[in-house]
Amino acid sequence: MFYDDDADLTQLDGKTVAIIGYGSQGHAHALNLKDSGVQVVVGLRPSSDSVAKAKEHGLEVLEPVEAASRGDVIMVLVPDELHHDVYEQIRDGVAPGNMLLFGHGFSIHYGEIEPPADVDVALVAPKGPGHLVRRQYLEGSGVPGLIAVQQDATGHARDLALAYAKGIGNTRGGVIETTFRDETETDLFGEQAVLCGGTTELVRAGYDTLVGAGYDPRLAYFEVLHELKLIVDLMYEKGIAGMRYSISNTAEYGDLTRGRRVIGAETRQAMSDILGEIQSGAFAREWIAENRAGQESFQRMREEQAGHQVEVVGKELRSQMDWIDTAFHE
Ligand code: NAD
Ligand code: MG
Ligand code: MG
């Protein structure tokens, strides 16, 4: 693991970092680097809604290709499905000896971008959403992160990537060195099987089971969605055994005897199949094709699920819980 003392911010002295995109990760990286004393410019299309926001935050905003020209380090923080097109827009600004940097390895690992041999190619991937990357930096803590070097043209790629990770606060939480392949495949697996796909279906299935059996939807919401955070917070702080120490013996006995009936052999097999599709590139091909087709089924599925009753009930209940800080999640 690399911590603050292992990284040297002066690697970025005299260099400019160009952040392309100002969304979830982009705003957090740009602001954290600026607060760490690094020269930052932001690359956005003039029509982008984010231009005004970045300027309000005191950042210089340029067209993407101009930002890339200005940058010695060019961090691409637009959605993965746009990397191919955005790289075409900025490639003339990427000079020999520059570093092309990513927040996730998808586009390099699956060949959506093929950078020239005379630039460094690396990734700095915070293991958390952008808004937490910003919030924890401000609080003096930091989201852990991964770094990887795909191409080391200058011989300094690793030191520079580590300096960047320090500038956004990752070395406070700890940084692991990995490869583009491992970062990409584990990240996709995590979000599909556990963090996003697995968890949302678990919640929806639990909610549907209770409401389908005639229980009050509000009770179901509190039970399977609201309380999930409280349990996950305990796991985050103390591990699974530590969480089990805090819950009642009744809850713990139910956990130990019932959990494996919910996540059984069928689910483990599905996880293994999902990992296989990620490793073979089948998932990447599917997602790239979905984008070429205009994201039609993606948008339809998004809308369908946003209409689920758990969303309507949850919105109403959350509106009464004014301590829930939504500002960071908008
Ligand atoms: P996002 O959707 O939040 O932000 C996208 C930004 O890109 C917006 O500011 C948008 O205006 C801008 N943009 C769109 N098209 C553009 C163009 N043609 N030129 C310039 N800018 C353009 O994206 P995100 O979720 O922050 O993801 C960015 C990268 O970070 C991805 O590679 C993603 O995998 C990675 N990542 C994201 C998270 C996360 O928490 N969201 C976590 C780890 C890694
Ligand atoms: Mg991830
Ligand atoms: Mg991801």
Side-chain angles (χ1 to χ4, degrees):
M1 293 291 278
F2 298 102
Y3 292 99
D4 275 351
D5 288 346
D6 306 310
D8 179 11
L9 257 182
T10 66
Q11 293 284 334
L12 283 163
D13 281 357
K15 290 189 160 55
T16 297
V17 175
I19 305 287
I20 312 298
Y22 201 71
S24 175
Q25 290 291 329
H27 90 283
H29 291 222
L31 294 173
N32 290 3
L33 287 167
K34 179 167 162 274
D35 290 350
S36 294
V38 177
Q39 283 288 336
V40 178
V41 297
V42 174
L44 285 171
R45 292 158 303 166
S47 61
S48 166
D49 291 342
S50 308
V51 172
K53 210 187 325 166
K55 285 186 174 164
E56 252 169 56
H57 294 160
L59 292 156
E60 184 178 0
V61 181
L62 302 168
E63 296 252 9
V65 67
E66 288 168 22
S69 298
R70 186 84 79 78
D72 303 284
V73 174
I74 299 134
M75 175 53 126
V76 180
L77 291 174
V78 303
D80 299 299
E81 65 273 21
L82 299 179
H83 281 202
H84 176 85
D85 292 349
V86 167
Y87 182 68
E88 292 307 312
Q89 292 165 32
I90 65 170
R91 66 189 304 163
D92 289 342
V94 181
N98 282 177
M99 170 174 276
L100 206 48
L101 201 53
F102 297 89
H104 176 39
F106 187 98
S107 52
I108 292 288
H109 180 59
Y110 293 115
E112 288 286 280
I113 296 179
E114 288 174 25
D118 55 10
V119 301
D120 290 344
V121 180
L123 72 79
V124 176
K127 290 285 94 184
H131 297 88
L132 210 57
V133 172
R134 179 59 179 157
R135 177 159 62 178
Q136 293 206 342
Y137 179 90
L138 288 173
E139 289 168 356
S141 61
V143 169
L146 304 179
I147 62 160
V149 174
Q150 175 88 355
Q151 192 167 288
D152 189 4
T154 64
H156 305 293
R158 186 160 168 266
D159 290 343
L160 198 54
L162 260 180
Y164 185 103
K166 185 174 187 171
I168 63 171
N170 289 157
T171 46
R172 294 176 183 169
V175 167
I176 299 172
E177 185 169 11
T178 182
T179 60
F180 270 62
R181 173 178 182 264
D182 286 8
E183 186 277 336
T184 303
E185 293 178 355
T186 55
D187 188 71
L188 291 175
F189 178 79
E191 63 204 20
Q192 292 176 21
V194 181
L195 307 175
C196 308
T199 303
T200 54
E201 270 316 301
L202 188 67
V203 167
R204 286 155 48 95
Y207 180 90
D208 290 343
T209 301
L210 285 175
V211 173
Y215 294 97
D216 184 331
R218 296 167 303 174
L219 243 129
Y221 175 85
F222 280 133
E223 198 52 50
V224 304
L225 194 151
H226 180 86
E227 266 198 74
L228 182 61
K229 172 174 163 46
L230 313 179
I231 294 297
V232 169
D233 280 350
L234 289 170
M235 286 169 50
Y236 173 91
E237 286 158 13
K238 311 181 204 179
I240 294 172
M243 177 277 285
R244 285 177 172 155
Y245 177 79
S246 292
I247 61 181
S248 70
N249 287 341
T250 312
E252 188 174 358
Y253 181 76
D255 167 345
L256 293 168
T257 57
R258 266 55 178 179
R260 264 176 274 185
R261 286 168 57 187
V262 177
I263 308 294
E266 193 189 330
T267 299
R268 285 178 182 257
Q269 183 58 49
M271 285 191 177
S272 173
D273 295 345
I274 286 166
L275 182 59
E277 290 163 19
I278 292 166
Q279 290 169 331
S280 72
F283 171 77
R285 285 191 296 277
E286 178 185 322
W287 176 223
I288 290 162
E290 173 66 20
N291 283 288
R292 299 235 163 90
Q295 295 192 341
E296 197 184 312
S297 63
F298 177 52
Q299 299 295 348
R300 178 176 36 74
M301 290 184 289
R302 179 187 266 172
E303 270 166 43
E304 267 167 26
Q305 296 223 353
H308 191 279
Q309 193 199 48
V310 72
E311 308 293 352
V312 180
V313 171
K315 192 170 185 206
E316 171 63 24
L317 292 172
R318 287 191 302 273
S319 72
Q320 301 301 315
M321 293 186 268
D322 56 13
W323 60 89
I324 295 182
D325 181 2
T326 54
F328 278 104
H329 306 291
E330 274 158 9

